[in-house]
Amino acid sequence: MSRSVLLVAERSGDHLARPSREAAGLARRLADGGTVHGLLLGGDLDGPAAELARCGVDSVLRAEDPELLPLRALPWATVVREAAARPAAGVILLADTIFGREVAGALAALWDASVATGAIEVRPAEGDRIVVRRPVLGGRAFQELLLDGPRILLTVRPGAFPAPEPAATAAPVAPFPVAPIPAPLRAGRSAGFTGDPAPAAGPDLGSARIVVSGGRGLRSAGEFRLIEDLARELGAAVGASRAVTDAGWRPASDQVGQTGRRVTPELYVAVGISGAIQHLAGMIGSRVIVAINSDPGAPIFKSADYGIVGDLFAIVPAITAELRRERGA
Amino acid sequence: MPDFSLSPDLESLQDLARKFARTEMMPRAAECDRRGIFPEEIYRKAFDLGLMNLNVPAEYGGSGLGAFQQCLIVEELGYGCAGMTTSIIANCLALEPILLGGTEAQKREVLEPFCRSYHLASFGLTEPGGGSDAGSLATRARRDGEGYVLSGEKCFITNAPHASLFTVFATLDPELRHKGISAFYVPREAEGVVPGKDEEKMGHRASSTGTVRFEQVRVPAAHRLGAEGEGFPLAMRTLDMTRTPIGALATGIAQCALDHAARYSRERHSFGKPIGEHQAIQMKLAMMTSQVRAARLLTWQAATLIDAGKNATLESSVAKCFASDAAMRVSDEAIQIFGGYGYMKDYPVEKLLRDAKLTQIYEGSNEIQRIVIARELLRRYAP
Amino acid sequence: MEIQVLVKPAPETEGRIAPTADGSRLDPAGIKWVLAGYDESAVEQALLLRERSPGTIVHALSWGPAPRSEEILRAGLALGCDRATWVEAPPGFEPTGIDAARALAAVLADRPAELVLLGQQSGDSEDGLQPLALAALLGRPGFGAVSRLTWDAAGRQFSFLRSLDHGAEEWTVPAPVVVGLRQADQDPRTAKLPMILKSRKMPVDRVASATVAAALDGHPGSPPLRFSLPAPRSGAKLIEYASPEEAAQKLLKRLREEAKVLP
Ligand SMILES: Cc1cc2nc3c(=O)[nH]c(=O)nc-3n(C[C@H](O)[C@H](O)[C@H](O)COP(=O)(O)OP(=O)(O)OC[C@H]3O[C@@H](n4cnc5c(N)ncnc54)[C@H](O)[C@@H]3O)c2cc1C
Ligand SMILES: Cc1cc2nc3c(=O)[nH]c(=O)nc-3n(C[C@H](O)[C@H](O)[C@H](O)COP(=O)(O)OP(=O)(O)OC[C@H]3O[C@@H](n4cnc5c(N)ncnc54)[C@H](O)[C@@H]3O)c2cc1C
């Protein structure tokens, strides 16, 4: 059944933010023959608007107002609600960025919707209903929710959906007039960016979302730098097998396993680790496990989700380089 | 508590101790055990959270807990590290004679300043010449003007090298045996108090145990607890109060061993399946579970009687004796389930066995407990 | 200053996690409910603000079923909150983030707190809607993902750092405001034993479910269909490649698109 979808897009500098591009791809699919309108808010929107126009939307609306420039969820949500009324949208879609979730929170109340955040899978169900799958409890479980009714609000996790290739033709771009925003909602001012808030030291092994661990395959303390570099690119904590901590390449506190730390990150990358039972006991609860090992018969591959059989000294630097390239560094 | 479940009030105390054991004690337990470290920072934190002077009423600055509440806390701490627990609860043992035998003025004078900030106290009963036979102790108290002069040596005294206050049992006349014994409290800074070195122990290595010598130590009469000659019953009444928590400590060790063994039984494979699927291992786990549960319920029963103000001599001896034996059996079987790994210091279970052993020896050896149990029992069958 | 700090019981994640028999949700049996994650930080920051502005009242508020909501409020009292209010949920009602915002907004509407403080997302459902939904319902400015929250008593305004995906901004906002906290200025404290004993005897005010029923009526929901655990592993999917670069690209693509663990 076709739906009318309103995509609320975010910018990243002079571009359309990648998570919003991914959401646009999903919007088209959910519309199922219906219309998709893309809405941009803020000012100086030429760059993002031109890109959004080629993301498979039927039209791009530009809501430009100085009050929408600072990222405040309530003024945004007020404008989004108006945009969703003309013409009436059945679904509002946002990327699950930090700010996207704030806007969704305000909209959930103002637009009175059936709502889900952080979707990693979305599938249409009977009628115009939608089923959403999302991770909960720190990735330890998944939940499926049924979204139903004339107003459905959804945020989708960045990276969970493919971004569409740019379309050959651009959709029309039109201004969206912004009504005055009530004073209490636009209270507050920003002194601007303070830069990256990520702490300089890596996250703690016990609570990290991603852990990269190295084993005896690294051959020496010096080569462990490869693990550290990859961990830094991923924002991960560094772990090690006992072969490594025994050799003194890393402190004993980094040992993962039965006699070390037990970790349950969302992603565990085991590099040059054979997968002894004592090691597995410490990381088997991780949501996704990647193994990189030159020995196709290494037991670690039995307990991993993804494997690369190969020389870690070639593979690991290539992954680090790829991540750097993506980051534009 | 007819259904043996804990009220939310009790659970909140248990939660506090559990969290402290898991986040503060367990991460340091192996290292302190291996290197014999006395982790004073952890003891200070225990004090800050109110986990130290559990039995001292709130009006004197303690936590004012009953026996049942104490047992819940001590079991959780014992799960985290038995050695640290022995040092944390040593104050309860050392201060109990003051609570039981002290006058109101003495309690105010000693307990209030003591409990206001972090301090350790030691209970001085055992001597090189005798532990179980406390009636024959040799430390002398001589009357001297307004007070007394103490001379003699105590051994195996928990926290002695770090204590600022001692409760000491000494005799005015060895000929009188039990009836000659009096109890005193002596501050560490009194002249002639000489703590000895820290002993090297098999287990409880995060605790500190040492001798303390009293070399002509002058003690004012105001520091005597109870009347002259009332020291021995005071020591026994003290141990009546602290025996049950030792049962709880042992239960904590046993529960910890069981948890490790059960988890390992699902992780380790042999002959194509997790070892927990071999019936021989299941029999062990079933026995261990029964032991742990019985130990816990026996300590709960003794503690409940104590809180109700009833006589619990038999029950507290049964609880201490059973729970400490259970801790030995369960930690022994846990090592067996771990196989060769269990024998390695890298794994936590061999420490549990070494720690469990002490609970059969101190605060009245299990032989002495059985003598008490039999005596209480036979009394009930008097013709 | 008055701070209303909102707390929610969440399952302790070290414990057993399993679906109910019908698979629709997390099985509540055997779950230990704790004050978790961001909520713990919110309480900590409220107490720090009170230490810096003496006279401040910290009022803990929770919406949910008995007994776990009342227990979580006592945990807040044990940490040092001055007062506690339990907004009763109808029995059997599993609260969702947006329902909670509606119920709590109904109670907060006539409480003149300068600050409504809560965790940026809950420890279990992690939907993260509450801070801004509350702000919208109360008509007060709201921000999520906040850290370094300070109160300038003279100027009657709050300053804070606010995280966004691409960096952080400094903000100054006049009271009253709704704040979803990302991080407190220090690790959350542990309640001390005497405070725990005292908290057991402190009153917890109760707002009957009927009082907030109107606020909850007639809104669309998002009923849970299925709750599931990650599938057991059956051996790694091996990445085929001709060059290390290709291996890297393929791995990252699959981690994003298939496993969904990377942004
Ligand atoms: C009492 C006890 C407790 C223990 N506790 C723990 C514990 O807590 N944690 C723990 O980790 N271990 C523990 N162990 C040790 C465990 O049994 C293993 O010995 C250990 O995990 C092996 O570490 P490893 O995988 O790094 O080394 P290895 O088993 O030597 O494996 C090295 C791997 O690197 C691969 N490799 C080599 N060169 C390359 C290359 N160029 N590119 C890619 N791959 C390469 C090899 O194919 C091999 O699979 C314990 C052992 C005992 C006896
Ligand atoms: C780590 C540690 C900490 C301690 N902390 C303290 C403390 O803080 N304060 C303190 O005062 N003491 C403390 N003790 C001492 C402890 O209470 C004694 O070791 C215990 O009471 C046993 O005394 P003993 O060692 O002299 O053994 P003994 O009395 O010499 O007994 C030797 C053996 O004979 C058995 N036995 C003795 N009499 C009989 C009998 N009548 N019938 C049958 N069997 C009998 C005993 O059970 C034991 O098996 C501590 C001991 C240790 C090891």
Side-chain angles (χ1 to χ4, degrees):
Chain A
M1 191 188 144
S2 73
R3 302 175 182 82
S4 163
V5 181
L6 177 65
L7 167 75
V8 182
E10 283 183 75
R11 73 190 308 163
S12 170
D14 210 21
H15 295 280
L16 181 65
R18 183 184 165 90
S20 296
R21 183 194 302 277
E22 295 163 359
L26 176 68
R28 182 80 274 161
R29 195 152 66 74
L30 275 181
D32 192 15
T35 54
V36 177
H37 298 289
L39 174 64
L40 281 160
L41 301 91
D44 198 10
L45 291 166
D46 292 349
E51 289 180 21
L52 182 58
R54 291 182 185 276
C55 282
V57 298
D58 296 300
S59 78
V60 173
L61 303 171
R62 297 170 53 149
E64 294 193 85
D65 188 302
E67 288 301 339
L68 298 173
L69 267 173
L71 296 179
R72 283 179 307 213
L74 290 172
W76 272 52
T78 313
V79 174
V80 173
R81 182 179 55 176
E82 278 172 39
R86 349 169 226 159
V91 178
I92 298 180
L93 197 61
L94 299 97
D96 195 44
T97 58
I98 293 175
F99 185 63
R101 211 175 256 217
E102 291 187 20
V103 175
L107 267 178
L110 295 178
W111 196 50
D112 202 15
S114 175
V115 50
T117 55
I120 59 169
E121 276 172 42
V122 175
R123 56 172 201 270
E126 81 191 75
D128 46 10
R129 301 195 286 183
I130 294 176
V131 174
V132 160
R133 187 169 146 91
R134 54 192 300 273
V136 292
L137 290 161
R140 286 197 59 194
F142 298 92
Q143 181 187 47
E144 275 181 16
L145 299 174
L146 181 67
L147 303 185
D148 190 9
R151 293 175 304 279
I152 288 176
L153 170 64
L154 183 59
T155 74
V156 294
R157 195 192 258 217
F161 298 89
E165 293 300 321
T169 54
V173 178
F176 182 82
V178 177
I181 290 159
L185 300 187
R186 49 186 163 80
R189 57 203 151 70
S190 165
F193 273 103
T194 61
D196 193 333
D204 172 64
L205 186 53
S207 58
R209 213 178 69 76
I210 305 179
V211 173
V212 182
S213 280
R216 195 181 342 249
L218 266 301
R219 287 201 213 125
S220 73
E223 304 286 8
F224 223 83
R225 148 125 283 142
L226 295 180
I227 300 291
E228 286 156 16
D229 289 348
L230 176 56
R232 196 168 311 115
E233 280 307 313
L234 285 170
V238 171
S241 73
R242 196 173 89 155
V244 165
T245 52
D246 277 359
W249 304 347
R250 295 290 299 185
S253 54
D254 283 358
Q255 182 183 322
V256 172
Q258 216 157 38
T259 54
R261 303 281 291 271
R262 290 186 186 243
V263 299
T264 53
E266 293 211 29
L267 174 62
Y268 187 88
V269 185
V271 180
I273 291 178
S274 60
I277 165 94
Q278 293 86 5
H279 188 79
L280 294 178
M283 40 65 86
I284 199 72
S286 310
R287 183 157 87 77
V288 176
I289 296 173
V290 173
I292 301 171
N293 197 304
S294 51
D295 172 9
I300 187 80
F301 287 122
K302 287 205 192 66
S303 304
D305 299 285
Y306 296 97
I308 298 182
V309 177
D311 180 8
L312 73 89
F313 295 102
I315 305 286
V316 173
I319 302 174
T320 308
E322 179 64 20
L323 287 164
R324 284 204 182 119
R325 198 183 59 74
E326 285 173 0
R327 195 161 52 85
Chain B
M1 35 147 230
D3 70 348
F4 299 98
S5 66
L6 298 178
S7 66
D9 289 15
L10 289 170
E11 269 185 17
S12 63
L13 293 179
Q14 191 183 42
D15 286 348
L16 169 67
R18 180 170 297 169
K19 188 166 170 201
F20 184 77
R22 312 278 156 121
T23 60
E24 303 288 343
M25 298 166 78
M26 289 176 86
R28 296 282 318 278
E31 181 203 357
C32 292
D33 174 61
R34 202 157 306 168
R35 307 193 11 224
I37 296 168
F38 185 77
E40 192 136 26
E41 354 43 270
I42 294 181
Y43 302 147
R44 280 181 190 278
K45 272 191 196 153
F47 169 81
D48 284 340
L49 289 177
L51 291 171
M52 200 159 248
N53 301 313
L54 297 175
N55 56 344
V56 178
E59 50 184 315
Y60 308 121
S63 300
L65 299 190
F68 195 93
Q69 294 168 314
Q70 290 180 47
C71 283
L72 284 180
I73 288 178
V74 173
E75 181 185 330
E76 294 302 328
L77 300 181
Y79 187 108
C81 176
M84 293 181 199
T85 308
T86 287
S87 272
I88 289 171
I89 63 174
N91 278 7
C92 299
L93 174 64
L95 302 178
E96 189 69 38
I98 302 176
L99 295 171
L100 290 173
T103 62
E104 183 58 30
Q106 284 176 322
K107 291 182 199 174
R108 294 232 169 271
E109 187 203 307
V110 193
L111 297 176
E112 274 184 5
F114 183 88
C115 293
R116 200 173 297 138
S117 54
Y118 168 78
H119 288 109
L120 297 178
S122 285
F123 176 79
L125 178 66
T126 306
E127 298 184 356
S132 305
D133 184 8
S136 68
L137 59 80
T139 296
R140 286 296 299 264
R142 247 186 325 105
R143 285 191 201 90
D144 181 74
E146 288 297 279
Y148 302 86
V149 173
L150 301 189
S151 51
E153 186 175 30
K154 299 285 175 182
C155 71
F156 299 158
I157 304 306
T158 298
N159 289 352
H162 307 271
S164 56
L165 180 71
F166 294 86
T167 43
V168 183
F169 295 83
T171 178
L172 281 161
D173 179 358
E175 298 287 293
L176 292 174
R177 302 259 312 151
H178 306 99
K179 302 204 165 92
I181 297 173
S182 300
F184 305 89
Y185 58 86
V186 182
R188 163 73 181 88
E189 64 271 11
E191 199 163 334
V193 177
V194 187
K197 76 166 181 63
D198 224 337
E199 307 287 353
E200 272 292 333
K201 300 190 294 295
M202 170 185 177
H204 289 240
R205 293 172 48 81
S207 180
S208 162
T209 315
T211 55
V212 52
R213 261 183 308 123
F214 297 92
E215 296 176 351
Q216 307 294 325
V217 179
R218 295 198 55 83
V219 180
H223 289 189
R224 193 187 64 231
L225 295 165
E228 282 189 357
E230 283 185 0
F232 187 80
L234 185 57
M236 294 304 115
R237 280 162 62 213
T238 295
L239 294 171
D240 274 347
M241 297 302 283
T242 56
R243 194 149 46 229
T244 309
I246 297 300
L249 195 168
T251 307
I253 298 174
Q255 180 70 59
C256 183
L258 173 60
D259 284 353
H260 281 300
R263 187 157 71 169
Y264 193 77
S265 301
R266 304 205 64 157
E267 287 170 2
R268 180 76 177 177
H269 286 65
S270 78
F271 299 94
K273 50 185 173 185
I275 59 171
E277 288 175 22
H278 298 304
Q279 209 175 48
I281 301 292
Q282 293 177 352
M283 297 299 106
K284 288 186 198 299
L285 291 170
M287 180 282 287
M288 293 157 79
T289 306
S290 315
Q291 291 277 316
V292 171
R293 293 187 170 224
R296 180 175 299 123
L297 290 180
L298 286 169
T299 57
W300 284 11
Q301 185 202 20
T304 305
L305 287 171
I306 293 171
D307 284 338
K310 297 190 178 141
N311 183 306
T313 306
L314 175 91
E315 286 79 4
S316 64
S317 286
V318 168
K320 191 265 181 187
C321 206
F322 185 90
S324 55
D325 289 349
M328 274 306 280
R329 278 184 77 182
V330 173
S331 53
D332 183 21
E333 290 290 22
I335 294 175
Q336 195 66 21
I337 287 174
F338 271 76
Y341 296 91
Y343 199 66
M344 298 298 127
K345 293 218 166 191
D346 267 328
Y347 282 75
V349 284
E350 60 82 36
K351 168 181 185 284
L352 298 175
L353 181 83
R354 291 185 283 108
D355 286 346
K357 187 66 213 173
L358 179 63
T359 62
Q360 294 180 310
I361 297 173
Y362 71 172
E363 303 234 2
S365 72
N366 280 10
E367 287 70 28
I368 299 299
Q369 303 306 331
R370 291 196 177 90
I371 291 170
V372 172
I373 294 166
R375 188 175 60 215
E376 289 292 312
L377 179 83
L378 292 172
R379 229 162 28 119
R380 297 173 194 190
Y381 289 86
Chain C
M1 175 176 41
E2 184 172 326
I3 304 174
Q4 296 278 344
V5 58
L6 311 190
V7 292
K8 173 184 170 180
E12 194 179 50
T13 46
E14 269 107 77
R16 190 187 81 105
I17 287 178
T20 47
D22 70 354
S24 71
R25 56 183 93 221
L26 176 64
D27 184 0
I31 287 187
K32 179 136 192 86
W33 297 95
V34 294
L35 179 63
Y38 295 112
D39 285 3
E40 217 182 359
S41 298
V43 171
E44 178 62 38
Q45 192 67 23
L47 298 174
L48 287 174
L49 288 170
R50 183 182 65 186
E51 281 161 23
R52 291 172 202 157
S53 310
T56 298
I57 304 273
V58 177
H59 197 139
L61 193 63
S62 186
W63 183 66
R68 66 176 108 120
S69 291
E70 194 187 332
E71 282 304 313
I72 230 58
L73 287 166
R74 293 208 185 275
L77 291 170
L79 287 167
C81 293
D82 301 292
R83 300 183 56 193
T85 300
W86 168 37
V87 185
E88 196 181 19
F93 193 101
E94 276 302 317
T96 65
I98 187 72
D99 291 327
R102 290 200 179 97
L104 292 169
V107 176
L108 286 167
D110 21 82
R111 292 192 174 184
E114 281 90 346
L115 175 63
V116 173
L117 186 60
L118 63 164
Q120 68 170 7
Q121 66 179 43
S122 74
D124 47 358
S125 75
E126 302 180 349
D127 64 21
L129 293 168
Q130 269 199 58
L132 269 295
L134 265 170
L137 292 164
L138 292 170
R140 302 176 195 170
F143 294 84
V146 164
S147 53
R148 289 193 220 149
L149 175 63
T150 58
W151 159 249
D152 160 20
R156 299 189 52 73
Q157 62 184 15
F158 292 93
S159 304
F160 51 82
L161 195 67
R162 180 266 184 120
S163 296
L164 293 163
D165 281 48
H166 46 291
E169 295 174 345
E170 272 170 33
W171 277 80
T172 314
V173 182
V177 45
V178 179
V179 167
L181 200 74
R182 183 185 192 76
Q183 198 178 21
D185 295 346
Q186 63 181 38
D187 287 343
R189 64 195 69 189
T190 304
K192 300 182 179 192
L193 193 145
M195 285 298 287
I196 292 176
L197 293 175
K198 188 172 154 209
S199 73
R200 309 304 308 176
K201 302 201 183 82
M202 287 171 75
V204 169
D205 299 335
R206 183 167 142 215
V207 176
S209 61
T211 317
V212 295
L216 292 169
D217 249 17
H219 295 285
S222 47
L225 293 178
R226 229 163 71 81
F227 183 90
S228 57
L229 302 177
R233 300 189 169 83
S234 54
K237 297 180 193 162
L238 294 182
I239 308 254
E240 307 285 330
Y241 62 96
S243 67
E245 291 68 37
E246 190 189 346
Q249 283 161 6
K250 280 186 165 171
L251 176 70
L252 292 175
K253 189 170 154 74
R254 294 182 81 166
L255 290 178
R256 290 203 176 95
E257 292 173 10
E258 208 171 76
K260 304 185 172 168
V261 278
L262 290 184

